[in-house]
Amino acid sequence: MPNGMRDSSRVGPSDRTPPLSRPIRIEFQRTRGPSRIQWRKSSAPDPHRVKKDFLIFITERVKLLRQSLAAAPHPFFFGLDKVELQKNLLAYQNALLSKIYTKGQPKFASNIQSQQSRGKVRTLDQALFNVELKNDFIHYLQERTGMVIDEELLRTLADCQYPDTWFPLARAKKRKLHLHVGPTNSGKTYHALKHLQKADVGAYAGPLRLLAYEVFSKFQSIDRPCNLITGDDRRMFGPINESISSCTVEMLPLHANFEVAIIDEVQMLANDQRGNAWTHALLGISADVIHLCGEERSVSIVEKVAALLGEELQIHRYERLNPLKVTDTLIDRDLSGIQKGDCLVCFDRLTIRTKQKQIEKATGRRCAIIYGGLPPLIRIRQAQLFNDDNNDFDFLVATDAIGMGLNLQIKRIIFSQVHSHTSEGRQESLATPHLRQIAGRAGRYQAIDHEKADNKSEPMPNKDVATTETVGVRPLAPQAPGLIAAHSEFDLQYIRQSIRDKVPPIESMALEPTSTMIQRFASQFPAEVPFSCIFFQFFQMAKYHSSGIFAPPDIKGPLWVLSLLDNVSGLTISQRLSFSVAPAKAKSGTVPYLMKLGEIVSGASRKDLLDLREIDLELLDKKENYPVDYQEQIERLHSNLELYIWLSYRFPAKLKSKAVAERARNIVEERINNLIAMTKEEAEEEAEEHTRENSAGPLKMQLM
């Protein structure tokens, strides 16, 4: 058979239907408007062809598994050498393909087949499937070799029914909970911070580095020593047990004692990817008084937690400080109706840059941009440019990254659309809470008026368990409403409906086990079993509270990282778990970089920061003739530097170039800021300055 051709007769039925030979179905689709019918051709996939394609896909995945096991660091696997192992893997492949062909796909393959039949499988779902396939093969080997693992003991070790017992320091305190709920721009976090300001020892925990940095800066501005603790930044001005600390939720110290603690955006505990950090913070923070700030939909779940813990809860409800109004006037797509103080919301970087140029060309004024890929400090600078009335940055184009974490003086939010693209390429309408979060940024209440209004509000009364009050802080003078607009009447109707709709309460909160629990669970398996399979098996066996208040998280992201590191020998379980929560994006370009960092931490490699190809500092020596994707390359370099810095805080003895990485990151951030904020003339002037500064030689040599 010629090289590169596949013998499909081995893995599927005998039909020879070409891939494109599929029946065509004609559909009628009525569009909006009177009596207009649109004809559309759609391809109805042949079920036999779909099954054959899936069998080929399975064969390719098993081949990858064979390569992975051949490269595994352990010479034996369940007592089998690698030759015997490959024979068993071939037998497993034949048994699996036969089962799929005769009985349909196994349970673990149902999700992947639906994606594969559409021609695109998400990276994280591929990682999950690879681990599931590996786990299924291990069960197959257990049956073939007679290996016995005590499943009853494993289920006991994976018991997650009573997470309140995991935090004895918090249970030893008589904690009091205050829940501050209200819409965006209602002053709930502001009031909670007033209580933190009165404490000698306390902590603020927010969802973003931007928010942690903002609180840190506020305390510094009033000459109050405050620590900053985020994943990639530590600024310590005193012991944690003796001062105020501002943290991201994931970094909140649960081993310390506080007088007052704030957990911001508490509704995030329902998020299946990050929610575990809020759950652990709520259950585990050792503080006399805890202020929780969030949306109305979080009330029910917090009440259940308070009842479970037997702790006092007081609820404070807030009203928005100025109204929101959906305008009736549509904004033309040529943006001829755009006004100073407007923010156009888009959902991808390419559209943002296109709209920025369109607005600047049409108005002759500057336009700031904000999106999630920008470094946090650059987002702050762009926000400052937009908020400053003494420059020509009159407009803002942004993604949903403005939903939280930035103070923006936006007069009107203009939605370019009310749907975003999923990772599968499909379009989905914005969820109601998400849309409200973005829309609520319009008409931000001025801080100076906020101070005055606060002096008019009543102090919090002492009440019994789960009592409520409506704070209802009002401005001293009528405030202009925050305006919301869109390009189409359909989008406006969707926005109006979303703002009117009552959001259902949160039913459950994401919960992961502690690292100690996972290590005890892993100790029951032979050393050669890949840790990604053990991690996956834990959640397969985990039992949660019968009330449904706790739920397992989405583990695809951690599994993707853990499966990459399976063939890196020498890493401890604790180190693997640290890597699994690192800020690494699931992209193909990240894979070799993560592997190299894993090898450095394990001791298998003696390379360091400047030896890694992914840290291409020569990009910063470019002064002109930038490639088309130059900004994308610079942002990728920034992400790689941040990942190194994040890991260097966890493994300082292995990753020793943190100071160099931080200096390089600062230079990269300056370059990104210049790329997005400068005019052509300013860029040329900056290039000349850059040439003078680099007369000593390439930047890489200067940093060494």
Side-chain angles (χ1 to χ4, degrees):
M1 181 177 296
N3 187 30
M5 295 187 64
R6 183 185 291 117
D7 184 5
S8 59
S9 63
R10 296 183 182 179
V11 293
S14 59
D15 77 298
R16 293 289 183 271
T17 307
L20 299 180
S21 299
R22 298 179 179 178
I24 300 298
R25 180 173 71 242
I26 303 297
E27 290 185 347
F28 292 96
Q29 181 181 13
R30 185 176 295 278
T31 61
R32 297 184 193 86
S35 303
R36 292 194 301 170
I37 296 180
Q38 175 182 341
W39 293 76
R40 185 180 70 181
K41 292 182 179 180
S42 67
S43 174
D46 179 359
H48 293 294
R49 185 70 204 182
V50 169
K51 179 177 283 190
K52 179 188 288 185
D53 290 343
F54 186 58
L55 291 168
I56 294 171
F57 176 80
I58 290 287
T59 304
E60 291 171 346
R61 293 288 123 183
V62 175
K63 181 180 178 181
L64 291 176
L65 175 58
R66 185 184 305 122
Q67 294 171 352
S68 172
L69 293 177
H74 295 283
F76 294 95
F77 202 86
F78 283 90
L80 304 173
D81 62 25
K82 293 195 174 182
V83 174
E84 288 296 318
L85 184 63
Q86 294 298 326
K87 290 180 180 179
N88 276 274
L89 187 55
L90 182 61
Y92 167 74
Q93 173 182 315
N94 293 334
L96 180 61
L97 294 176
S98 175
K99 181 179 179 181
I100 293 173
Y101 182 63
T102 58
K103 300 180 181 179
Q105 79 276 3
K107 184 179 179 181
F108 69 83
S110 57
N111 180 48
I112 205 80
Q113 182 177 12
S114 64
Q115 292 185 45
Q116 191 268 340
S117 65
R118 292 194 294 269
K120 184 174 182 179
V121 182
R122 293 172 296 197
T123 301
L124 292 182
D125 284 308
Q126 285 190 45
L128 175 62
F129 177 77
N130 291 342
V131 173
E132 288 177 319
L133 185 67
K134 197 182 298 185
N135 193 64
D136 193 55
F137 175 58
I138 288 173
H139 283 300
Y140 173 85
L141 279 183
Q142 284 181 256
E143 294 177 0
R144 293 279 295 250
T145 61
M147 172 68 70
V148 178
I149 295 180
D150 189 343
E151 290 200 6
E152 284 301 315
L153 176 59
L154 291 179
R155 294 187 188 281
T156 301
L157 294 174
D159 191 339
C160 296
Q161 293 184 85
Y162 307 106
D164 52 305
T165 62
W166 301 350
F167 307 99
L169 194 61
R171 300 291 76 78
K173 274 187 176 289
K174 186 178 181 181
R175 307 189 310 175
K176 182 174 181 179
L177 308 179
H178 288 274
L179 176 59
H180 305 261
V181 293
T184 306
N185 197 20
S186 59
K188 51 187 182 293
T189 305
Y190 174 84
H191 281 82
L193 285 169
K194 283 292 185 182
H195 291 270
L196 180 60
Q197 192 174 327
K198 297 173 185 176
D200 293 324
V201 182
Y204 166 85
L208 300 171
R209 288 174 289 177
L210 288 172
L211 286 169
Y213 182 79
E214 181 183 348
V215 171
F216 164 78
S217 300
K218 284 181 178 178
F219 275 90
Q220 295 284 41
S221 68
I222 60 173
D223 296 325
R224 285 289 304 277
C226 180
N227 302 319
L228 177 66
I229 309 173
T230 69
D232 59 358
D233 198 357
R234 313 280 171 87
R235 306 183 196 181
M236 306 303 292
F237 294 88
I240 292 175
N241 279 320
E242 299 176 11
S243 54
I244 302 293
S245 299
S246 182
C247 326
T248 47
V249 174
E250 287 84 353
M251 298 301 297
L252 182 63
L254 299 183
H255 61 276
N257 282 296
F258 301 105
E259 296 171 11
V260 175
I262 297 174
I263 302 175
D264 206 359
E265 303 293 351
V266 69
Q267 74 278 354
M268 286 286 290
L269 52 75
N271 185 283
D272 59 4
Q273 294 177 348
R274 292 186 63 199
N276 173 71
W278 275 261
T279 302
H280 277 222
L282 176 54
L283 296 175
I285 183 67
S286 178
D288 300 320
V289 180
I290 303 171
H291 294 271
L292 311 169
C293 306
E295 300 173 6
E296 178 70 31
R297 62 193 177 110
S298 62
V299 171
S300 174
I301 192 73
V302 173
E303 286 178 331
K304 292 177 182 177
V305 171
L308 178 69
L309 302 177
E311 294 179 338
E312 182 180 353
L313 170 65
Q314 185 174 339
I315 302 172
H316 312 272
R317 287 185 166 86
Y318 296 77
E319 298 176 9
R320 187 178 162 88
L321 295 170
N322 65 336
L324 275 179
K325 179 182 178 183
V326 182
T327 63
D328 296 324
T329 306
L330 299 179
I331 306 298
D332 291 337
R333 292 192 181 274
D334 63 6
L335 300 175
S336 57
I338 198 166
Q339 302 170 3
K340 181 175 180 178
D342 282 352
C343 172
L344 178 67
V345 177
C346 310
F347 293 94
D348 65 87
R349 179 168 53 187
L350 180 60
T351 303
I352 283 178
R353 298 311 300 269
T354 302
K355 294 297 183 183
Q356 180 195 29
K357 293 176 182 177
Q358 180 184 345
I359 291 170
E360 291 183 343
K361 183 177 180 180
T363 64
R365 307 291 286 176
R366 305 297 301 280
C367 181
I369 62 173
I370 294 173
Y371 54 90
L374 285 178
L377 290 180
I378 303 303
R379 280 181 264 171
I380 291 174
R381 291 183 187 180
Q382 289 291 297
Q384 290 170 343
L385 288 172
F386 174 71
N387 290 339
D388 188 355
D389 288 331
N390 298 319
N391 62 28
D392 58 351
F393 282 84
D394 291 350
F395 315 103
L396 175 65
V397 182
T399 63
D400 51 353
I402 64 168
M404 62 175 70
L406 288 169
N407 282 321
L408 295 162
Q409 304 304 328
I410 297 171
K411 295 179 180 177
R412 179 172 61 174
I413 291 281
I414 303 172
F415 283 91
S416 64
Q417 57 193 35
V418 292
H419 53 263
S420 59
H421 292 277
T422 67
S423 55
E424 292 180 278
R426 294 183 288 109
Q427 289 188 339
E428 289 184 350
S429 297
L430 293 175
T432 295
H434 192 191
L435 186 145
R436 285 181 173 180
Q437 187 95 38
I438 300 169
R441 309 304 288 179
R444 294 293 291 172
Y445 196 59
Q446 297 294 327
I448 186 170
D449 293 330
H450 204 175
E451 292 279 358
K452 294 176 182 177
D454 182 60
N455 294 332
K456 297 288 183 180
S457 64
E458 295 295 328
M460 295 181 183
N462 293 321
K463 296 191 177 184
D464 297 328
V465 175
T467 57
T468 67
E469 64 169 330
T470 301
V471 174
V473 179
R474 291 295 185 183
L476 298 182
Q479 296 290 303
L483 302 177
I484 307 168
H487 293 314
S488 72
E489 183 60 36
F490 175 80
D491 286 354
L492 281 181
Q493 290 178 6
Y494 183 82
I495 293 168
R496 290 191 188 99
Q497 186 65 39
S498 295
I499 291 177
R500 283 196 304 264
D501 282 350
K502 185 176 181 180
V503 181
I506 294 170
E507 298 293 337
S508 61
M509 52 208 293
L511 177 69
E512 293 180 22
T514 64
S515 60
T516 302
M517 293 174 64
I518 294 180
Q519 290 184 57
R520 288 174 181 166
F521 185 86
S523 67
Q524 304 302 311
F525 290 82
E528 63 266 27
V529 177
F531 181 66
S532 62
C533 292
I534 297 173
F535 186 81
F536 173 76
Q537 191 66 29
F538 183 100
F539 287 95
Q540 291 290 100
M541 291 187 162
K543 186 176 182 180
Y544 285 81
H545 198 278
S546 58
S547 65
I549 190 174
F550 303 110
D554 182 350
I555 60 171
K556 293 175 187 174
L559 271 181
W560 174 73
V561 176
L562 293 174
S563 61
L564 292 178
L565 298 177
D566 274 342
N567 290 336
V568 177
S569 61
L571 286 174
T572 66
I573 291 176
S574 177
Q575 289 171 336
R576 293 179 189 276
L577 289 173
S578 292
F579 268 91
S580 74
V581 294
K585 296 179 181 178
K587 295 181 179 179
S588 57
T590 312
V591 173
Y593 183 53
L594 262 177
M595 297 283 286
K596 290 173 186 176
L597 291 175
E599 289 168 357
I600 294 172
V601 172
S602 72
S605 171
R606 294 185 179 275
K607 291 183 178 180
D608 206 348
L609 181 72
L610 299 180
D611 302 318
L612 302 176
R613 185 174 62 85
E614 290 77 12
I615 305 299
D616 184 10
L617 296 181
E618 292 179 2
L619 284 171
L620 300 174
D621 291 319
K622 292 181 182 291
K623 298 179 286 293
E624 55 186 12
N625 299 324
Y626 296 141
V628 175
D629 62 342
Y630 181 69
Q631 184 171 333
E632 186 177 341
Q633 292 179 38
I634 286 288
E635 290 177 6
R636 189 182 309 122
L637 172 60
H638 185 273
S639 296
N640 290 342
L641 287 167
E642 286 207 320
L643 177 57
Y644 182 95
I645 294 168
W646 191 95
L647 288 169
S648 70
Y649 275 109
R650 279 89 184 153
F651 312 114
K654 300 292 185 178
L655 302 173
K656 303 175 182 179
S657 299
K658 178 169 71 70
V660 175
E662 288 176 334
R663 291 202 301 273
R665 179 178 63 178
N666 293 339
I667 297 170
V668 170
E669 288 176 350
E670 285 296 330
R671 177 60 58 87
I672 294 173
N673 188 61
N674 293 342
L675 285 171
I676 65 177
M678 283 187 171
T679 62
K680 182 178 180 181
E681 293 76 14
E682 290 170 333
E684 291 173 353
E685 183 179 337
E686 190 270 343
E688 293 178 5
E689 179 68 22
H690 179 75
T691 303
R692 290 193 295 271
E693 290 176 354
N694 286 354
S695 58
L699 177 63
K700 184 173 181 178
M701 297 297 295
Q702 297 177 46
L703 290 173
M704 290 178 67

